[in-house]
């Protein structure tokens, strides 16, 4: 079977002017993924579960494994000299590498080092999400916020690692989506899911329905649509919600479905972070033939105003996401105004 490294190297030849820097960067992510995989696999046996004892910038209590994953991905990217700065969920400000090699790095990375980390104690899948952009400033100049505050349509490559019943690395460089399963016995990621395509529609919807009373009217109407008895359209759909975006998205991408974390009355722009959760997953969805929206705007067109900005997020099978947009258009014009009032700027 083809290994991740063989595959990445082969893909480099698709770009005639490629210098190998992106290839090296992706290799480094693969190495950090193995280290984090090992640590997650041992959770429960080692002293790595529970809280670290601090909060991140969002006021969320950091888990030991949040911090471990953050350190290891940062370290792996710092060792190479392709990346000059990283925005991470676990760091208030972007992390700028000031060693001479990294300073001239061509790329910046945004990442959620451990997604769904509240699931760790109960042995439920978690993930890592990353996206890679070409910096805006000239190589060697000081890094600025504008290097990272780029809309999703500028992504050069994005992916996730799913530490599930098996560990997978799924990524795209803008030429389709490919998935690799980790073979523990040989320590290699092997191509198991070539050219993944999301079915145009599915029969799974994933949402934290406990927030129902706070949802915009369009989302409420869509949930009711999912629950109608109509065997000709496979309804009622199945409700499946892991509570870790990577797991929920991965399942829906493979078998067809929709994931929603919409803005709501309590949190108008929802919970998920635009730069390192919504944009990379939206990029992968699009590359696999799916779609992502905040209800009114294509996620890939929204211009981040700050690195920890949140966004309403609906992603998955193309026809299902379009239906949600239709419901939002019909029943939730007030929510469009709320988004604009919250400072959402789309191209
Ligand atoms: P993180 O662990 O990185 O903070 O992300 C958790 C996110 C996402 O993965 C998940 O879908 C969502 O939060 C779950 O939130 P609720 O518990 O509010 O449903
Ligand atoms: Mn997350
Ligand atoms: Mn996280």
């Amino acid at each position: 079977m083809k290994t991740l490294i063989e595959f990445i190297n082969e893909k480099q030849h698709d770009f005639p002017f490629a210098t190998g820097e992106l290839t090296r960067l992706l290799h480094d992510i693969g190495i950090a993924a193995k280290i984090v995989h090992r640590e997650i696999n041992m959770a429960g046996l080692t002293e790595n579960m529970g809280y670290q004892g601090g909060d991140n910038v969002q006021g969320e209590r950091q888990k030991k494994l949040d911090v471990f994953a953050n350190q290891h991905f940062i370290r792996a990217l710092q060792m190479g000299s392709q990346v000059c700065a990283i925005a991470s969920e676990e760091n208030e400000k972007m992390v700028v590498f000031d060693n001479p090699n990294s300073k001239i790095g061509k790329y910046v990375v945004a990442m959620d080092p451990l997604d769904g980390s509240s699931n760790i104690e109960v042995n439920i899948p978690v993930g890592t999400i990353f996206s890679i952009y070409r910096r805006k400033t000239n190589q060697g100049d000081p890094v600025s916020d504008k290097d990272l505050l780029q809309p999703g349509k500028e992504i050069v490559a994005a992916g996730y690692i799913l530490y599930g019943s098996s560990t997978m690395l799924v990524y795209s460089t803008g030429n389709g989506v490919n998935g690799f399963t980790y073979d523990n016995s040989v320590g290699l990621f092997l191509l198991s899911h070539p050219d993944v395509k999301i079915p145009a529609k599915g029969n799974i919807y994933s949402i934290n329905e406990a927030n129902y009373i706070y949802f915009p009217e369009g989302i409420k109407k869509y949930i009711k649509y999912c629950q109608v008895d109509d065997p000709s359209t496979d309804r009622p759909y199945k409700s499946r919600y892991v509570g870790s975006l990577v797991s929920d998205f991965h399942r829906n991408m493979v078998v067809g479905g929709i994931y929603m974390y919409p803005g709501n009355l309590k949190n108008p722009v929802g919970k998920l972070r635009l730069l390192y959760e919504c944009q990379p997953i939206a990029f992968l969805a699009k590359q696999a033939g799916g779609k992502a929206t905040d209800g009114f705007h294509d996620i890939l067109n929204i211009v981040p105003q700050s690195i920890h900005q949140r966004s309403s997020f609906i992603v998955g099978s193309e026809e299902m996401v379009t239906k949600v947009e239709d419901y939002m258009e019909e029943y939730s014009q007030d929510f469009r105004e709320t988004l604009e009032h919250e400072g959402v700027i789309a191209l």
Side-chain angles (χ1 to χ4, degrees):
M1 280 177 100
K2 192 160 288 181
T3 69
L4 174 65
I5 291 178
E6 284 168 347
F7 187 87
I8 295 171
N9 289 345
E10 267 175 32
K11 287 288 152 193
Q12 187 184 321
H13 303 308
D14 291 353
F15 302 96
F17 302 107
T19 56
E21 288 163 83
L22 183 63
T23 301
R24 170 76 202 270
L25 205 175
L26 292 166
H27 282 184
D28 289 343
I29 288 176
I31 292 167
K34 290 182 196 178
I35 296 170
V36 174
H37 155 88
R38 186 188 61 201
E39 200 67 12
I40 288 170
N41 248 243
M42 300 285 281
L45 294 175
T46 55
E47 301 279 301
N48 64 11
M49 289 214 286
Y51 292 99
Q52 177 78 15
D55 287 354
N56 66 16
V57 61
Q58 278 115 138
E60 295 160 347
R61 292 176 73 192
Q62 280 179 316
K63 297 250 168 131
K64 287 184 190 168
L65 279 169
D66 285 321
V67 174
F68 181 92
N70 194 39
Q71 280 171 350
H72 280 273
F73 279 100
I74 290 178
R75 201 171 290 166
L77 295 173
Q78 193 169 17
M79 294 305 224
S81 44
Q82 298 76 36
V83 176
C84 59
I86 296 182
S88 163
E89 180 186 350
E90 305 305 334
N91 294 94
E92 180 179 357
K93 302 217 165 77
M94 66 177 170
V95 178
V96 177
F97 298 146
D98 58 7
N99 62 73
N101 290 336
S102 300
K103 260 187 178 165
I104 55 165
K106 201 177 1 177
Y107 296 105
V108 292
V109 170
M111 67 170 180
D112 177 355
L114 206 59
D115 172 63
S117 54
S118 66
N119 284 330
I120 281 284
E121 267 71 27
V122 287
N123 202 1
I124 285 174
V126 291
T128 296
I129 310 173
F130 64 90
S131 56
I132 302 166
Y133 301 79
R134 219 163 267 120
R135 70 189 291 177
K136 287 278 174 200
T137 49
N138 292 326
Q139 286 173 259
D141 284 357
V143 179
S144 109
D145 272 359
K146 74 174 180 194
D147 289 316
L148 273 154
L149 300 179
Q150 301 191 47
K153 69 187 195 60
E154 300 293 336
I155 287 176
V156 172
Y160 57 79
I161 298 123
L162 169 58
Y163 312 95
S165 45
S166 54
T167 290
M168 286 191 71
L169 190 151
V170 176
Y171 85 101
S172 172
T173 51
N175 207 358
V177 177
N178 291 280
F180 301 79
T181 301
Y182 188 60
D183 182 340
N184 242 322
S185 62
V186 287
L188 294 169
F189 282 104
L190 300 172
L191 180 62
S192 52
H193 295 60
D195 198 18
V196 184
K197 291 287 171 230
I198 308 185
K201 58 181 179 224
N203 66 357
I204 292 177
Y205 73 105
S206 312
I207 188 165
N208 186 343
E209 238 170 303
N211 295 325
Y212 185 86
I213 54 167
Y214 306 118
F215 289 148
E217 200 51 34
I219 298 291
K220 288 183 176 172
K221 286 271 192 308
Y222 181 72
I223 291 173
K224 290 298 163 211
Y225 167 87
C226 295
Q227 296 171 343
V228 165
D229 174 37
D230 178 9
S232 72
T233 52
D234 224 0
R235 287 180 291 159
Y237 293 159
K238 291 183 234 172
S239 166
R240 295 283 184 275
Y241 189 70
V242 176
S244 112
L245 168 64
V246 171
S247 318
D248 282 311
F249 174 72
H250 181 76
R251 181 199 51 241
N252 294 351
M253 179 174 74
V254 173
V255 298
I258 187 166
Y259 171 94
M260 296 175 275
Y261 209 114
N264 55 60
L265 279 181
K266 284 213 294 204
N267 303 306
V269 284
K271 174 183 183 188
L272 300 181
R273 278 56 55 107
L274 178 62
L275 190 60
Y276 45 82
E277 293 180 312
C278 306
Q279 288 188 174
I281 296 292
F283 179 80
L284 291 164
K286 186 163 183 205
Q287 284 295 320
K291 192 171 174 179
T293 177
D294 69 356
F296 293 98
H297 313 101
D298 183 334
I299 291 291
L300 297 175
N301 285 338
I302 301 177
V303 187
Q305 304 299 305
S306 61
I307 60 178
H308 299 290
Q309 178 177 335
R310 294 177 194 261
S311 176
S312 175
F313 192 48
I314 295 131
V315 65
S317 292
E318 205 265 334
E319 288 181 24
M320 299 172 93
V321 175
T322 300
K323 191 153 213 82
V324 173
E325 285 179 322
D326 293 345
Y327 275 116
M328 293 299 282
E329 189 67 35
E330 190 171 350
Y331 298 106
S332 287
Q333 284 304 327
D334 55 331
F335 187 67
R336 182 201 287 271
E337 284 158 28
T338 306
L339 291 177
E340 274 148 28
H341 182 254
E342 290 291 323
V344 173
I345 297 172
L347 299 172

